[in-house]
Coordinates of all heavy atoms in Angstrom, one line a residue:
E74 N 157.4 120.2 149.9 CA 157.0 118.9 149.5 C 158.3 118.2 148.9 O 158.5 117.0 149.0 CB 155.9 118.9 148.4 CG 154.6 119.5 148.9 CD 153.9 118.8 150.0 OE1 154.3 117.7 150.4 OE2 152.9 119.3 150.5
E77 N 160.4 117.0 151.7 CA 159.9 115.8 152.2 C 160.2 114.6 151.3 O 160.6 113.5 151.8 CB 158.3 115.9 152.4 CG 157.9 116.8 153.5 CD 156.4 117.1 153.5 OE1 155.6 116.3 152.9 OE2 156.0 118.0 154.2
V99 N 155.1 109.8 146.8 CA 153.9 110.5 147.3 C 154.2 112.0 147.4 O 153.4 112.9 147.1 CB 153.4 109.9 148.6 CG1 152.2 110.7 149.2 CG2 152.9 108.5 148.3
E100 N 155.4 112.3 147.9 CA 155.7 113.7 148.2 C 155.9 114.4 146.8 O 155.6 115.6 146.7 CB 157.0 113.9 149.1 CG 156.7 113.3 150.5 CD 155.5 113.9 151.2 OE1 155.1 115.0 150.9 OE2 155.0 113.2 152.1
D103 N 152.6 115.3 145.8 CA 152.1 116.5 146.5 C 152.7 117.7 145.9 O 152.0 118.8 145.8 CB 152.6 116.4 148.0 CG 151.7 115.6 148.9 OD1 150.6 115.2 148.4 OD2 152.1 115.2 150.0
Ligands
LIG214 MG1 153.4 116.1 151.6

Side-chain angles (χ1 to χ4, degrees):
E74 303 294 355
E77 290 173 16
V99 173
E100 297 306 336
D103 277 347

